């Protein structure tokens, strides 16, 4: 039976200019595997907790202390909870609270000559881990853009000389996805 592929657009909520990725993932992936896809496509390093919200239900890694009422993401396939046109949310890092809007833009039969998952597009670099959420990201961008800003040198040292907030390489992201997911 041919595999179904979902084309997802993942957008980081609450940030301007927009940061987004378009990925192609097998519909049979569990939400745990989709979590890894989001991590690698966006450029996160999976250092923090996360959850999905789909039609009012929360999914993630079960909390052994029972403080978070999450359904186990290992038990749920993507194609069992969403379809073409579905919208859902992914939150990463409950301290910085990075919300992602996900839209299933399309669903189609897998190309037998293509390897999945892959990244087919996107814009801008992902904020670095522990940047302070959307407000911290905006402050970081302001400091980087203005050499006269009092935090410019410290911010540049923190993110490194090679960090370019406008850069994104979909081909590199696709290679990482196929290698790591």
């Amino acid at each position: 039976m041919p595999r179904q592929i979902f084309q997802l657009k993942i957008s980081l909520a609450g940030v301007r200019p927009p940061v987004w990725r378009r990925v192609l993932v097998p519909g049979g992936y569990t939400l745990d595997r989709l979590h890894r896809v989001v991590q690698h496509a966006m450029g996160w390093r999976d250092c923090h907790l996360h959850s999905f919200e789909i039609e009012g239900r929360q999914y993630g890694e079960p909390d052994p202390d029972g403080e978070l009422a999450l359904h186990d993401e290992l038990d749920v396939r993507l194609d069992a909870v969403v379809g073409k046109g579905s919208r859902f949310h992914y939150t990463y890092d409950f301290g910085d609270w990075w919300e992602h809007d996900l839209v299933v833009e399309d669903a189609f039969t897998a190309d037998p000559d293509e390897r999945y998952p892959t990244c087919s597009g996107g814009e801008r670099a992902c904020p670095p881990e522990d940047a302070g959420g959307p407000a911290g990201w905006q402050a970081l961008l302001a400091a980087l853009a203005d050499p006269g800003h009092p935090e410019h040198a410290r911010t540049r040292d923190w993110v490194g000389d090679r960090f370019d907030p406008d850069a994104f390489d979909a081909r590199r992201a696709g290679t990482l996805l196929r290698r790591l997911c």
Side-chain angles (χ1 to χ4, degrees), residues 62-120:
D63 179 7
D65 299 325
E67 293 178 27
L68 299 173
L70 297 173
H71 298 276
D72 191 343
E73 65 190 2
L74 287 170
D75 296 337
V76 181
R77 285 174 45 133
L78 185 60
D79 58 9
V81 290
V82 299
K84 185 175 177 179
S86 294
R87 296 178 176 275
F88 59 109
H89 303 280
Y90 170 83
T91 302
Y92 174 62
D93 185 349
F94 298 162
D96 281 1
W97 203 260
W98 294 108
E99 291 184 291
H100 303 70
D101 297 319
L102 287 85
V103 177
V104 181
E105 295 180 316
D106 202 0
F108 52 89
T109 301
D111 178 342
D113 296 327
E114 181 66 51
R115 289 183 55 207
Y116 301 98
T118 192
C119 182
S120 62

Side-chain angles (χ1 to χ4, degrees), residues 25 34 45 85-86 97 131-133 145 167 169 175:
V25 298
L34 180 59
R45 295 189 327 247
S86 294
W97 203 260
D169 182 349
T175 299

Side-chain angles (χ1 to χ4, degrees), residues 15 17 33 40 45 69 73 86 112 124 138:
V15 300
R33 288 186 81 183
H40 296 303
R45 295 189 327 247
E73 65 190 2
S86 294
R124 293 181 194 77
Q138 295 307 312

Side-chain angles (χ1 to χ4, degrees), residues 128 144 152-167:
L144 287 178
H152 179 81
R154 186 189 69 75
T155 301
R156 177 51 64 196
D157 285 345
W158 181 59
V159 298
D161 290 335
R162 294 176 33 168
F163 182 77
D164 177 357
D166 293 321

Side-chain angles (χ1 to χ4, degrees), residues 6-59:
F6 286 169
Q7 177 178 298
L8 301 176
K9 184 172 183 186
I10 305 164
S11 303
L12 194 53
V15 300
R16 294 287 173 257
V19 175
W20 63 272
R21 306 292 183 259
R22 181 165 287 117
V23 296
L24 305 176
V25 298
Y29 268 23
T30 60
L31 293 180
D32 173 63
R33 288 186 81 183
L34 180 59
H35 156 69
R36 287 182 277 169
V37 168
V38 174
Q39 287 289 302
H40 296 303
M42 293 302 290
W44 300 118
R45 295 189 327 247
D46 200 9
C47 300
H48 303 281
L49 295 173
H50 69 278
S51 69
F52 289 94
E53 182 180 338
I54 303 171
E55 295 186 9
R57 289 188 82 165
Q58 299 287 323
Y59 301 90

